[in-house]
Amino acid sequence: MARLAQTAGLTDVQEEILATVRTFVDKEIIPHAQTLEHGDTYPADIVDGMKEMGLFGLTIPEEFGGLGESLLTYALVVEQIARGWMSVSGVINTHFIVAHMLKQHGTPEQKEKYLPRMAAGEVRGSFSMSEPELGSDVAAIRTRAVKSGDGYTINGQKMWLTNGGTSNLTAVLVKTDEGADKPHQNLTTFLVEKPEGYGEVVPGLTIPGKIDKMGYKGVDTTEMVFDGFEIAADQILGGQSGQGFRHMMDGVEVGRVNVAARACGIAIRAFELAIEYSQQRRTFGKAIAEHQAIAFKLAEMATKVEAAHLMMVNAARLKDSGQRNDVEAGMAKLIASEYCAEVTQESFRIHGGYGYSKEYEIERLMREAPFLLIGEGTSEIQKTIISRGLLRDYQSRG
């Protein structure tokens, strides 16, 4: 059994879940990932398999039909799924974030309405903060919801929705007129129901189509355009406007643990491919793993995999304990994504010319790893979050 990225102190239930997922990844994801990824094909059969295992309800409380597992369990599951194919982990990531936001901040009626169907995979979640000219400045959101009768009318354009076309419930952060001095206090999260598909899916709401990406294929990434879209006031998450920024940041915080877990999964797979290939490929009369230059690469790669995994686990456990983990989640996301890119590139180098061939899995990982440097906030954003947290905790007394 592999010794890297093992997690101490897991319960028997957690161990059983991970063993089941690991087997599923080895049998149902890895053998098909190359073909599906190169064809940019949605992994429908794999998604159905995840539904049968209950993964869409992994963290949803048992009272709503879920498994009631922790963020740590979810992160370790994501790590395994991303080891097989990162796009599959993307299918459940946004779903999980929306379920978390509903669980933590939804009204009793919203929880009853959505969580049981989300646990069964019947309702699939996506979420949207970004806009075409927004970047990381969430407070500068332009998409606006204006009161109209008993509800609101939304106008504007959102960007970079993972599962935008295949989801049917989207948590959307928009600007509302709260009269607050601070921009982030004028933001509200709406729960937008829509059918799956593309084009004008309901009056006033258009999903233009899939964005063609360098990697992260299979899973759909889209825009979302509002043009006079009418929505009821009871679709405000938590029932109170002006709380959207706080709700979304809570979701993004667990999302950063998720991205760290995905980065760990890709790094683990890149290392597995490198250490296997290096023992098979021979030069100058011996396996290249026996050459010191390659052996040292493997040692450094394994160390980075282990360090990233431990930081990801720590951030997840802090969140599960109810403690603030913005700094730790930022650190985990920063180091895991950066190390993932480095480990993947080293694996690519070990493969030599074959690594540039689409026949080899490492070629796909080379296109997937860069996404994690950007998703849920760039490395520069993580450094901003980390430094602000450190300055908050280590205030000068001079």
Side-chain angles (χ1 to χ4, degrees):
M1 181 178 178
R3 61 179 297 171
L4 280 183
Q6 300 300 301
T7 309
L10 297 181
T11 66
D12 291 342
V13 172
Q14 288 174 315
E15 293 281 10
E16 184 178 349
I17 290 172
L18 287 176
T20 301
V21 171
R22 194 178 298 115
T23 299
F24 179 78
V25 168
D26 289 339
K27 292 184 177 180
E28 304 298 334
I29 298 182
I30 290 177
H32 306 291
Q34 290 293 91
T35 301
L36 292 169
E37 200 273 347
H38 290 163
D40 198 7
T41 304
Y42 187 77
D45 291 341
I46 294 173
V47 171
D48 287 342
M50 293 195 297
K51 285 182 183 179
E52 291 178 10
M53 287 193 293
L55 295 187
F56 282 90
L58 188 62
T59 62
I60 292 175
E62 293 181 8
E63 64 185 287
F64 297 111
L67 299 179
E69 276 295 326
S70 63
L71 174 60
L72 174 62
T73 305
Y74 179 78
L76 296 175
V77 165
V78 166
E79 182 180 58
Q80 284 300 318
I81 291 175
R83 171 181 155 266
W85 183 18
M86 186 185 74
S87 293
V88 178
S89 65
V91 171
I92 58 174
N93 176 38
T94 57
H95 176 87
F96 162 71
I97 291 175
V98 176
H100 172 82
M101 291 166 64
L102 274 164
K103 180 178 68 173
Q104 295 298 114
H105 310 291
T107 65
E109 293 78 15
Q110 289 169 346
K111 294 177 184 179
E112 289 288 346
K113 182 179 181 180
Y114 293 118
L115 288 180
R117 290 187 292 153
M118 292 186 80
E122 297 170 5
V123 169
R124 300 262 300 282
S126 60
F127 80 107
S128 174
M129 291 191 297
S130 190
E131 296 182 3
E133 299 179 6
L134 182 62
S136 299
D137 186 7
V138 177
I141 279 175
R142 295 180 180 178
T143 300
R144 182 179 293 273
V146 178
K147 287 185 178 180
S148 175
D150 294 331
Y152 288 79
T153 301
I154 302 178
N155 288 284
Q157 183 179 4
K158 308 300 286 186
M159 192 73 175
W160 305 118
L161 278 81
T162 301
N163 301 309
T166 51
S167 61
N168 47 18
L169 179 67
T170 305
V172 183
L173 187 63
V174 303
K175 183 175 290 186
T176 50
D177 297 316
E178 306 300 324
D181 294 331
K182 296 181 178 179
H184 69 273
Q185 294 176 345
N186 293 302
L187 298 174
T188 300
T189 298
F190 282 87
L191 300 170
V192 176
E193 291 189 53
K194 67 176 187 64
E196 299 177 25
Y198 302 95
E200 189 172 15
V201 291
V202 292
L205 176 57
T206 299
I207 308 295
K210 295 199 299 183
I211 297 170
D212 192 15
K213 309 182 295 288
M214 176 178 78
Y216 202 25
K217 302 283 190 176
V219 63
D220 49 297
T221 304
T222 73
E223 299 174 67
M224 177 178 267
V225 180
F226 295 94
D227 184 9
F229 177 74
E230 303 287 341
I231 189 167
D234 61 9
Q235 291 301 107
I236 293 174
L237 179 64
Q240 182 180 354
S241 62
Q243 302 297 310
F245 182 81
R246 180 172 63 87
H247 296 161
M248 277 286 180
M249 289 305 101
D250 184 26
V252 167
E253 200 168 274
V254 297
R256 289 188 176 121
V257 175
N258 174 283
V259 172
R262 283 199 263 179
C264 289
I266 290 180
I268 291 167
R269 186 59 181 163
F271 174 80
E272 289 174 347
L273 294 172
I275 199 165
E276 180 180 5
Y277 180 82
S278 66
Q279 293 175 84
Q280 296 172 351
R281 178 81 165 98
R282 299 180 66 83
T283 62
F284 304 102
K286 59 183 178 182
I288 62 172
E290 297 178 31
H291 294 292
Q292 191 176 70
I294 302 300
F296 281 7
K297 284 183 184 292
L298 293 172
E300 291 174 1
M301 291 162 67
T303 301
K304 289 175 179 178
V305 168
E306 190 73 4
H309 173 83
L310 290 170
M311 291 194 74
M312 178 271 291
V313 168
N314 179 59
R317 280 181 161 151
L318 275 174
K319 187 72 172 178
D320 283 331
S321 71
Q323 298 181 60
R324 185 170 185 172
N325 82 330
D326 55 337
V327 170
E328 289 77 11
M331 286 179 171
K333 195 276 176 182
L334 171 65
I335 199 169
S337 61
E338 293 287 350
Y339 278 177
C340 173
E342 293 171 15
V343 169
T344 301
Q345 187 173 88
E346 288 299 335
S347 181
F348 172 78
R349 293 180 183 219
I350 287 172
H351 279 78
Y354 289 109
Y356 209 65
S357 168
K358 283 184 174 290
E359 294 182 18
Y360 281 72
E361 197 175 335
I362 189 61
E363 179 272 340
R364 169 170 60 83
L365 302 188
M366 279 291 291
R367 289 184 287 105
E368 292 178 339
F371 169 77
L372 300 170
L373 297 169
I374 302 168
E376 307 297 4
T378 63
S379 292
E380 289 71 26
I381 289 296
Q382 306 311 317
K383 291 174 185 178
T384 299
I385 293 168
I386 294 164
S387 61
R388 285 176 178 173
L390 293 173
L391 290 169
R392 178 187 68 227
D393 295 338
Y394 289 85
Q395 290 186 10
S396 173
R397 297 179 182 177

